[in-house]
Amino acid sequence: MSGKMQNMFFFFILLGRIAGGSTLSLENLPATGNITENSPANALVYVFSVKLSPSCAEVAEGYPIIINSNPLTDAFQIVPESKLVYRVVTTENPILDYETMPHLFDLQIYVMDTAEATDLQTLTVKIEDVNEPPMIQGNMATQPIMIYILEGSGAGNIYQIEAIDPERKELKYSLTPASDLFIVSNSGTISTTRQSDYEKDQHSYFLNITATDNLGLKTTGTVIVNIININDEAPYFTMKQISYTIPEEQRPGTIVVHITAKDPDDEGFISRLTYSISPPNEYFSINPLTGVIQVAKRIDREASTFQLHPRISLIIHVEDSPRGGQMNETEITIIIEDINDNPPECKQYTFSSKIPETATPGTLLFALRDYCYDNDVEPPNNKFNFTGLSGLGSNIFTLDPVGSGIVVSARDLNFENPANQAMKDEYSLTVVVQDIAWPNYASKNYSRYTTSKIGKVSATDKDLPFAGITYSIVGGGGTFGYTNIFWIDPEKGDMKIIATLDYETTQRYILTVQASDSEKTATVSVTVNVLEVNDEKPVCTPNSYSLAVPVDLAVGTNIEGFSILCHDPDSSPRSFRYFISSGNINNHFTFSPSAGSNSSRLILASRFDYENGLDTTWAYSLRIYITDDNLLSGSDRATVHVETGTVTLSIKVIPNPTTLLPTTEMTKLNTVFDGEARDPVTGKMYEFNSKSGARRWKDTKVLTETKITDPVVHVISSATAKGREEKDGTGTPSKKEAGVDEKAPEMENMAAKPTEG
Ligand SMILES: *[C@@H]1O[C@H](CO)[C@@H](O)[C@H](O)[C@H]1NC(C)=O
Ligand SMILES: *[C@@H]1O[C@H](CO)[C@@H](O)[C@H](O)[C@H]1NC(C)=O
Ligand SMILES: *[C@@H]1O[C@H](CO)[C@@H](O)[C@H](O)[C@H]1NC(C)=O
Ligand SMILES: *[C@@H]1O[C@H](CO)[C@@H](O)[C@H](O)[C@H]1NC(C)=O
Ligand SMILES: *[C@@H]1O[C@H](CO)[C@@H](O)[C@H](O)[C@H]1NC(C)=O
Ligand SMILES: *[C@@H]1O[C@H](CO)[C@@H](O)[C@H](O)[C@H]1NC(C)=O
């Protein structure tokens, strides 16, 4: 078909031929054809036909054509419909915009037949207006608009929509989804209605803003509003208990309680909280990074400060970062529990008394209780009784009532009584003052053990008839003030031990025993070898085990709930102590409690740090020794020989999927920063390592307003936020922020148990 440009070329040439006159005519023309604005290609404008002269049968090839248009346009063309019937239609890319273009076009349609007769008629095309949807202008027309607002910013305008109606009608604006935080005005201004709150509100909003014209046609643009978190919330404590009980005399380093807190602002960040005890307390310290409270100094429940008030109150502060940020505090109470760590003692250990032989049975000799006391504070730890009356005369005197310390005569003492022939006029008795509570300390001057027979010395007297031989120990058998370790039955020569023998102190005693009848005396040397007691080993279950611990496990967590349970037939359940003797590289693990229970839990004591190269091993093999020592810390207590049980643990550290790296790369990584980003809280730029996540601040400038150009960003800052930034305008990254986490100091054992109520 004919090109439109071509039509115009021939305009003047063809005009000349019309003058010749003919009978060829264009039917139904001139006329007016209508088309709506912005019609697609090939839309029908008008139909006309050609009437040939009788002498001529054909329309010349290439006709009819539009030879001219006014105003000039290439939006229309003629296509045949059937023989001699033609349609005026729109071309491939008609641009027919009512608002920006003429509304009327005159098309001159020219036809010629094979006999060169011609006709020319005008088709007026009228462009009809149709209502079109509003048009959003500017960046929003092509992409969502990104807006950042600082949390806490007051109500205010955040964005002005630019939109027009092609028909120049007034537009209305609406916003979906409905939000109580945002509104859009009649003029297309989006504003916040109130302060935003990062912790309570959504962190980002996807808002559709719809412009609607007078006839209800709509166009929608999108605004994405991101709320930037600022440090505006105080941290709060998350541990439930406020009262904890620990036994006195815990080793410094023993873990008492793990203080935990959360910062509502912290979402999406590693904890940036710092803990302190304020005012400081001499008995406890807190790890500022982990919140683990440990014993810092020996606590003796018997010390005068704790006798009446065995409670220590600690005010725990927690502060978020940056420093000078928000803080909170709570009070916890640590109750010091008395343990039985003191033997009963007496103001006087040697007593003498004279009673007449005429005294009746039951006559009081000594009331020992008045001389004795026990420094432990609480019953039954401070209760004691008197037992084990022994020595020469123990059949003549007795404790009445039993255990009381009241020594009375037990029978008739009259020398004239024939039954009392063998009676002496002086007796030496030993009484044991003994704790009632486990482990039943006895005062050191005395034995808490019942006498046990160790041997017999016998002598024969050649003088007949047999005259009674009396045995006595005249030398040896004493050490360090233990004057009466052995006792010999004066009549039979049986020797007994009446005090505790301690292998560690003395392995051998050499005694001189004397046998005498009424006239002569003989002595003999007796050697007593003290043997080492070989008591039973603690047996613990499980005695070997494999565990896995996630690399980011919180300090203080009982790893996989693992605990060991120990049993020792000849020891109390409270006598066990747990030591990790090898494999505890960087002291990441501890057992809690470390002593005083037959079961102990495996605790993560400090956090792993592979990023900074502090930790390099991912597999630990721990060897745990369990002894059946006792709980006590008194310095002058004789060492008790202990037997050891062992437990072996294999622990694997499970890396985070994102930080899984070959160990050889670990140490280098902290210096390689391959990315950078902006901290949404401070607005500062930092560099980070995309594998390890390690960060450091990039520069020291504090930015309160920022424009990010991709895609389109508007930042609305508030006075509140600026003020806060300036307060921390040091530009020095805190250790946490920079990803250089300090390693927690070595920890001992969680000894506290929550107190009821
Ligand atoms: C075009 O519209 C006008 C009125 O606007 C009308 O008079 C005329 O008949 C219409 N023409 C056609 C071909 O529909
Ligand atoms: C917002 O617009 C997008 C795309 O135009 C649509 O998918 C989404 O459902 C809309 N949301 C609302 C709440 O209108
Ligand atoms: C302090 O923490 C407690 C809970 O530990 C919380 O109830 C309180 O609201 C916090 N104080 C502030 C100011 O947030
Ligand atoms: C003294 O106390 C111990 C330990 O509780 C007890 O075994 C013993 O029976 C008591 N002795 C007397 C005489 O009460
Ligand atoms: C018993 O021990 C105390 C100290 O514990 C000491 O003062 C006293 O002399 C001792 N008495 C005897 C008889 O050994
Ligand atoms: C552990 O000690 C408790 C009392 O403290 C006792 O009831 C339990 O039987 C003991 N378990 C073992 C295995 O000895």
Side-chain angles (χ1 to χ4, degrees):
M1 267 292 144
S2 60
K4 292 138 260 172
M5 297 311 286
Q6 210 179 353
N7 295 343
M8 288 171 299
F9 258 89
F10 291 106
F11 178 56
F12 289 104
I13 306 160
L14 296 166
L15 202 60
R17 300 200 179 204
I18 300 165
S22 90
T23 56
L24 175 68
S25 63
L26 288 161
E27 301 292 304
N28 312 333
L29 284 173
T32 300
N34 302 329
I35 181 95
T36 54
E37 64 170 319
N38 297 326
S39 285
N42 240 357
L44 178 67
V45 180
Y46 192 70
V47 178
F48 66 90
S49 55
V50 173
K51 192 176 172 214
L52 293 170
S53 60
S55 58
C56 185
E58 302 270 354
V59 172
E61 200 184 336
Y63 295 92
I65 58 169
I66 298 168
I67 55 162
N68 195 16
S69 72
N70 180 29
L72 194 60
T73 179
D74 58 359
F76 306 101
Q77 65 182 2
I78 294 167
V79 295
E81 185 178 283
S82 58
K83 191 168 168 49
L84 300 179
V85 178
Y86 299 87
R87 295 149 58 88
V88 176
V89 298
T90 52
T91 53
E92 276 311 285
N93 187 21
I95 298 174
L96 296 169
D97 185 35
Y98 187 86
E99 283 74 29
T100 59
M101 289 174 69
H103 303 165
L104 281 177
F105 291 90
D106 284 338
L107 307 182
Q108 286 175 312
I109 298 172
Y110 179 67
V111 69
M112 183 163 68
D113 66 11
T114 45
E116 300 206 341
T118 63
D119 192 13
L120 177 73
Q121 295 292 344
T122 298
L123 173 66
T124 300
V125 179
K126 192 174 162 202
I127 311 298
E128 291 179 334
D129 188 20
V130 291
N131 186 33
E132 289 171 293
M135 292 192 326
I136 289 176
Q137 320 260 276
N139 287 309
M140 201 194 221
T142 52
Q143 61 200 322
I145 299 292
M146 207 57 103
I147 294 176
Y148 289 84
I149 61 175
L150 285 174
E151 89 167 300
S153 306
N157 298 348
I158 59 168
Y159 189 72
Q160 174 65 52
I161 298 166
E162 296 162 48
I164 53 156
D165 181 38
E167 285 74 42
R168 302 293 181 269
K169 292 288 192 302
E170 202 168 290
L171 296 175
K172 290 205 170 87
Y173 296 92
S174 63
L175 186 150
T176 51
S179 155
D180 72 326
L181 185 52
F182 302 101
I183 47 165
V184 63
S185 74
N186 288 339
S187 57
T189 307
I190 303 174
S191 12
T192 46
T193 55
R194 57 169 171 83
Q195 285 194 355
S196 54
D197 182 344
Y198 186 87
E199 287 70 37
K200 295 206 182 82
D201 293 329
Q202 282 169 236
H203 299 171
S204 85
Y205 292 83
F206 196 93
L207 303 174
N208 285 349
I209 314 296
T210 303
T212 309
D213 69 10
N214 58 322
L215 296 173
L217 288 186
K218 297 170 194 300
T219 303
T220 296
T222 301
V223 170
I224 299 167
V225 183
N226 296 302
I227 312 290
I228 301 174
N229 193 10
I230 61 167
N231 184 13
D232 62 342
E233 301 270 338
Y236 61 94
F237 293 90
T238 52
M239 75 285 176
K240 300 260 170 348
Q241 297 285 339
I242 55 157
S243 180
Y244 302 86
T245 301
I246 60 162
E248 59 172 323
E249 303 286 8
Q250 294 298 299
R251 274 197 298 171
T254 301
I255 294 176
V256 179
V257 45
H258 187 187
I259 299 293
T260 51
K262 272 193 178 149
D263 185 354
D265 291 318
D266 250 3
E267 202 171 306
F269 297 87
I270 35 170
S271 171
R272 288 136 43 111
L273 299 175
T274 314
Y275 300 90
S276 57
I277 298 174
S278 175
N281 185 286
E282 60 183 311
Y283 296 104
F284 299 99
S285 66
I286 191 162
N287 182 311
L289 300 179
T290 61
V292 170
I293 294 184
Q294 292 167 284
V295 173
K297 185 179 167 185
R298 177 180 171 217
I299 303 171
D300 181 5
R301 176 74 171 77
E302 283 74 62
S304 55
T305 18
F306 299 120
Q307 291 229 352
L308 289 176
H309 302 287
R311 290 163 174 268
I312 301 176
S313 282
L314 302 178
I315 311 282
I316 313 294
H317 280 251
V318 61
E319 186 180 333
D320 64 15
S321 52
R323 282 206 177 271
Q326 306 278 340
M327 69 144 81
N328 204 338
E329 60 179 42
T330 193
E331 182 172 356
I332 65 165
T333 302
I334 297 170
I335 299 166
I336 312 301
E337 195 180 50
D338 187 39
I339 63 171
N340 187 19
D341 60 340
N342 286 288
E345 288 183 54
C346 302
K347 284 174 262 181
Q348 188 184 330
Y349 288 95
T350 328
F351 299 87
S352 64
S353 177
K354 282 185 182 166
I355 54 167
E357 61 175 319
T358 53
T360 53
T363 301
L364 173 71
L365 282 98
F366 308 105
L368 300 177
R369 182 166 290 276
D370 301 343
Y371 296 90
C372 299
Y373 56 93
D374 186 318
N375 277 333
D376 287 317
V377 182
E378 281 165 12
N381 297 341
N382 60 0
K383 299 278 183 237
F384 52 90
N385 64 17
F386 297 81
T387 59
L389 186 68
S390 63
L392 200 54
S394 56
N395 54 342
I396 297 172
F397 302 97
T398 189
L399 290 166
D400 187 23
V402 174
S404 66
I406 297 170
V407 181
V408 299
S409 59
R411 55 178 245 204
D412 169 52
L413 302 171
N414 203 320
F415 287 102
E416 276 71 52
N417 184 340
N420 290 346
Q421 250 182 2
M423 220 174 65
K424 306 199 171 296
D425 52 9
E426 192 176 319
Y427 291 92
S428 172
L429 295 166
T430 303
V431 176
V432 178
V433 191
Q434 179 187 354
D435 266 348
I436 283 180
W438 184 90
N440 308 110
Y441 291 117
S443 191
K444 157 157 126 178
N445 303 69
Y446 305 105
S447 167
R448 64 177 156 126
Y449 297 114
T450 49
T451 55
S452 53
K453 197 164 164 181
I454 54 164
K456 182 179 169 90
V457 177
S458 57
T460 49
D461 190 345
K462 298 201 178 98
D463 303 337
L464 292 171
F466 175 80
I469 296 174
T470 309
Y471 299 93
S472 58
I473 300 170
V474 294
T479 178
F480 301 125
Y482 290 70
T483 49
N484 283 311
I485 290 177
F486 301 97
W487 174 78
I488 190 162
D489 185 312
E491 285 159 28
K492 298 184 191 131
D494 288 348
M495 276 177 63
K496 291 181 174 182
I497 306 166
I498 58 171
T500 310
L501 296 182
D502 183 1
Y503 178 80
E504 269 75 27
T505 320
T506 312
Q507 287 83 41
R508 170 176 295 185
Y509 294 90
I510 299 171
L511 313 176
T512 308
V513 174
Q514 187 181 66
S516 53
D517 64 12
S518 42
E519 288 147 18
K520 285 187 219 132
T521 298
T523 57
V524 63
S525 181
V526 175
T527 303
V528 178
N529 289 311
V530 181
L531 302 176
E532 190 174 357
V533 178
N534 190 13
D535 71 355
E536 303 254 358
K537 275 189 185 187
V539 176
C540 301
T541 49
N543 63 8
S544 71
Y545 206 74
S546 292
L547 294 143
V549 44
V551 69
D552 53 0
L553 190 71
V555 166
T557 309
N558 179 202
I559 296 166
E560 285 192 15
F562 180 81
S563 62
I564 43 179
L565 180 62
C566 298
H567 175 73
D568 187 335
D570 64 3
S571 294
S572 149
R574 292 184 62 184
S575 71
F576 298 103
R577 275 184 183 277
Y578 304 86
F579 303 98
I580 302 180
S581 70
S582 68
N584 196 5
I585 300 160
N586 289 339
N587 295 304
H588 285 304
F589 306 98
T590 188
F591 271 88
S592 172
S594 65
S597 167
N598 61 357
S599 82
S600 185
R601 297 177 303 150
L602 179 64
I603 304 289
L604 183 67
S606 67
R607 82 179 205 95
F608 296 103
D609 185 356
Y610 293 96
E611 285 89 344
N612 295 306
L614 204 62
D615 286 310
T616 50
T617 180
W618 295 82
Y620 293 82
S621 176
L622 305 185
R623 206 164 162 74
I624 294 93
Y625 283 128
I626 300 93
T627 70
D628 58 357
D629 196 353
N630 58 45
L631 255 179
L632 309 158
S633 66
S635 54
D636 59 346
R637 210 80 66 209
T639 12
V640 179
H641 179 74
V642 292
E643 276 293 333
T644 314
T646 58
V647 169
T648 312
L649 298 182
S650 308
I651 303 177
K652 265 194 184 157
V653 182
I654 317 218
N656 264 333
T658 52
T659 58
L660 182 54
L661 295 162
T663 48
T664 47
E665 265 185 71
M666 291 292 172
T667 47
K668 286 188 255 160
L669 270 175
N670 61 335
T671 57
V672 180
F673 295 90
D674 56 1
E676 54 175 69
R678 187 179 302 279
D679 180 357
V681 173
T682 61
K684 291 187 240 178
M685 293 301 292
Y686 62 86
E687 295 172 290
F688 61 86
N689 178 289
S690 58
K691 287 183 189 157
S692 69
R695 291 181 177 199
R696 71 166 178 219
W697 293 120
K698 187 158 187 281
D699 58 26
T700 56
K701 264 180 264 155
V702 176
L703 302 176
T704 53
E705 190 170 295
T706 174
K707 285 205 191 310
I708 298 171
T709 49
D710 184 22
V712 178
V713 175
H714 299 258
V715 171
I716 288 85
S717 69
S718 74
T720 357
K722 273 184 190 149
R724 211 177 288 294
E725 294 295 337
E726 277 150 18
K727 229 194 298 182
D728 185 49
T730 59
T732 318
S734 85
K735 284 183 178 124
K736 268 287 185 193
E737 286 163 335
V740 197
D741 197 2
E742 256 181 4
K743 185 168 164 349
E746 182 195 344
M747 278 169 224
E748 297 279 323
N749 317 286
M750 190 84 81
K753 55 179 192 249
T755 304
E756 298 298 324

